[in-house]
Amino acid sequence: MSLLAWGLIVWLAFFSLIGTILSIYDKWAAARRPRSRVRESTLMALAALGGAGVMFLVMKAIRHKTLHRKFMIGLPMLFMLHAVAAGCLLWYLG
């Protein structure tokens, strides 16, 4: 596997991990510390940087923000965009 492919995997894994941790923390803070919640814009930024797919699955699993259209429609759309972009990049450069 090329260095580009490994870099892409590390990038996506990093933002998926951070997005997952912050999504779980926000769910916890919603009940216990409402003043220390994570901003929706922060969660969407992490999703846009590459964590959308895993964040969507985590949010569905823990039932967090499932009534927010921007998350339940936006995250899958971002994931599809990431998948297409990564596929094109790897095909073109690989």
Side-chain angles (χ1 to χ4, degrees), residues 28-85:
W28 176 83
R32 292 170 184 83
R33 293 190 182 158
R35 292 185 180 204
S36 66
R37 298 215 31 207
V38 179
R39 291 182 179 180
E40 288 186 358
S41 60
T42 301
L43 293 173
M44 287 304 289
L46 288 167
L49 287 170
V54 175
M55 286 176 67
F56 177 75
L57 295 175
V58 167
M59 286 181 173
K60 291 292 277 188
I62 64 174
R63 290 189 268 167
H64 185 56
K65 302 221 182 265
T66 56
L67 298 178
H68 294 248
R69 285 186 184 158
K70 78 167 100 174
F71 288 100
M72 293 299 107
I73 295 171
L75 293 180
M77 290 179 73
L78 281 171
F79 175 70
M80 287 187 281
L81 178 68
H82 293 150
V84 169

